[in-house]
PDB file of all heavy atoms in Angstrom:
ATOM      1  N   ILE B 151      99.457  82.896 116.043  1.00  0.00           N
ATOM      2  CA  ILE B 151      99.793  83.830 115.027  1.00  0.00           C
ATOM      3  C   ILE B 151     101.145  83.720 114.505  1.00  0.00           C
ATOM      4  O   ILE B 151     101.613  84.380 113.425  1.00  0.00           O
ATOM      5  CB  ILE B 151      99.441  85.353 115.449  1.00  0.00           C
ATOM      6  CG1 ILE B 151      99.183  86.119 114.241  1.00  0.00           C
ATOM      7  CG2 ILE B 151     100.676  85.913 116.211  1.00  0.00           C
ATOM      8  CD1 ILE B 151      98.751  87.587 114.580  1.00  0.00           C
ATOM      9  N   LEU B 152     102.079  82.989 115.144  1.00  0.00           N
ATOM     10  CA  LEU B 152     103.415  82.810 114.740  1.00  0.00           C
ATOM     11  C   LEU B 152     103.624  82.350 113.300  1.00  0.00           C
ATOM     12  O   LEU B 152     104.524  82.787 112.508  1.00  0.00           O
ATOM     13  CB  LEU B 152     104.197  81.882 115.692  1.00  0.00           C
ATOM     14  CG  LEU B 152     104.721  82.601 116.997  1.00  0.00           C
ATOM     15  CD1 LEU B 152     105.452  81.565 117.808  1.00  0.00           C
ATOM     16  CD2 LEU B 152     105.720  83.658 116.656  1.00  0.00           C
ATOM     17  N   PRO B 153     102.841  81.287 112.789  1.00  0.00           N
ATOM     18  CA  PRO B 153     103.004  80.846 111.509  1.00  0.00           C
ATOM     19  C   PRO B 153     102.799  81.989 110.400  1.00  0.00           C
ATOM     20  O   PRO B 153     103.350  81.882 109.418  1.00  0.00           O
ATOM     21  CB  PRO B 153     101.871  79.741 111.282  1.00  0.00           C
ATOM     22  CG  PRO B 153     101.700  79.200 112.620  1.00  0.00           C
ATOM     23  CD  PRO B 153     101.833  80.473 113.578  1.00  0.00           C
ATOM     24  N   TRP B 154     102.009  82.922 110.640  1.00  0.00           N
ATOM     25  CA  TRP B 154     101.823  84.130 109.846  1.00  0.00           C
ATOM     26  C   TRP B 154     102.949  85.087 109.954  1.00  0.00           C
ATOM     27  O   TRP B 154     103.270  85.769 109.059  1.00  0.00           O
ATOM     28  CB  TRP B 154     100.436  84.655 110.146  1.00  0.00           C
ATOM     29  CG  TRP B 154      99.998  85.624 109.187  1.00  0.00           C
ATOM     30  CD1 TRP B 154     100.218  85.688 107.791  1.00  0.00           C
ATOM     31  CD2 TRP B 154      99.161  86.856 109.460  1.00  0.00           C
ATOM     32  NE1 TRP B 154      99.610  86.820 107.250  1.00  0.00           N
ATOM     33  CE2 TRP B 154      99.082  87.621 108.171  1.00  0.00           C
ATOM     34  CE3 TRP B 154      98.663  87.516 110.635  1.00  0.00           C
ATOM     35  CZ2 TRP B 154      98.288  88.730 108.114  1.00  0.00           C
ATOM     36  CZ3 TRP B 154      98.014  88.680 110.548  1.00  0.00           C
ATOM     37  CH2 TRP B 154      97.805  89.298 109.221  1.00  0.00           C
ATOM     38  N   ALA B 155     103.426  85.283 111.216  1.00  0.00           N
ATOM     39  CA  ALA B 155     104.529  86.296 111.419  1.00  0.00           C
ATOM     40  C   ALA B 155     105.855  85.816 110.871  1.00  0.00           C
ATOM     41  O   ALA B 155     106.683  86.655 110.413  1.00  0.00           O
ATOM     42  CB  ALA B 155     104.634  86.510 112.863  1.00  0.00           C
ATOM     43  N   VAL B 156     106.150  84.523 110.911  1.00  0.00           N
ATOM     44  CA  VAL B 156     107.437  83.864 110.390  1.00  0.00           C
ATOM     45  C   VAL B 156     107.438  84.002 108.921  1.00  0.00           C
ATOM     46  O   VAL B 156     106.387  83.798 108.199  1.00  0.00           O
ATOM     47  CB  VAL B 156     107.621  82.493 110.918  1.00  0.00           C
ATOM     48  CG1 VAL B 156     108.885  81.813 110.126  1.00  0.00           C
ATOM     49  CG2 VAL B 156     107.614  82.301 112.331  1.00  0.00           C
ATOM     50  N   VAL B 207     100.058  77.989 106.761  1.00  0.00           N
ATOM     51  CA  VAL B 207     100.512  79.439 106.537  1.00  0.00           C
ATOM     52  C   VAL B 207      99.312  80.370 106.613  1.00  0.00           C
ATOM     53  O   VAL B 207      99.397  81.498 107.169  1.00  0.00           O
ATOM     54  CB  VAL B 207     101.265  79.579 105.214  1.00  0.00           C
ATOM     55  CG1 VAL B 207     101.574  81.036 104.923  1.00  0.00           C
ATOM     56  CG2 VAL B 207     102.527  78.779 105.300  1.00  0.00           C
ATOM     57  N   PRO B 210      96.241  81.578 110.379  1.00  0.00           N
ATOM     58  CA  PRO B 210      96.394  82.738 111.272  1.00  0.00           C
ATOM     59  C   PRO B 210      95.714  83.978 110.739  1.00  0.00           C
ATOM     60  O   PRO B 210      95.147  84.667 111.635  1.00  0.00           O
ATOM     61  CB  PRO B 210      97.839  82.822 111.461  1.00  0.00           C
ATOM     62  CG  PRO B 210      98.539  81.586 111.243  1.00  0.00           C
ATOM     63  CD  PRO B 210      97.666  81.031 110.102  1.00  0.00           C
ATOM     64  N   PHE B 211      95.817  84.268 109.475  1.00  0.00           N
ATOM     65  CA  PHE B 211      95.193  85.449 108.884  1.00  0.00           C
ATOM     66  C   PHE B 211      93.737  85.373 109.189  1.00  0.00           C
ATOM     67  O   PHE B 211      93.017  86.272 109.581  1.00  0.00           O
ATOM     68  CB  PHE B 211      95.483  85.637 107.459  1.00  0.00           C
ATOM     69  CG  PHE B 211      94.749  86.664 106.818  1.00  0.00           C
ATOM     70  CD1 PHE B 211      94.873  88.065 106.982  1.00  0.00           C
ATOM     71  CD2 PHE B 211      93.650  86.330 105.990  1.00  0.00           C
ATOM     72  CE1 PHE B 211      94.124  88.928 106.358  1.00  0.00           C
ATOM     73  CE2 PHE B 211      92.834  87.183 105.371  1.00  0.00           C
ATOM     74  CZ  PHE B 211      93.087  88.577 105.478  1.00  0.00           C
ATOM     75  N   VAL B 214      92.711  85.719 112.994  1.00  0.00           N
ATOM     76  CA  VAL B 214      92.842  87.143 113.482  1.00  0.00           C
ATOM     77  C   VAL B 214      91.669  87.973 112.854  1.00  0.00           C
ATOM     78  O   VAL B 214      91.007  88.730 113.606  1.00  0.00           O
ATOM     79  CB  VAL B 214      94.168  87.703 113.148  1.00  0.00           C
ATOM     80  CG1 VAL B 214      94.135  89.229 113.480  1.00  0.00           C
ATOM     81  CG2 VAL B 214      95.363  87.041 113.843  1.00  0.00           C
TER      82      VAL B 214
END
Side-chain angles (χ1 to χ4, degrees):
I151 206 174
L152 275 179
W154 189 35
V156 174
V207 173
F211 168 76
V214 172

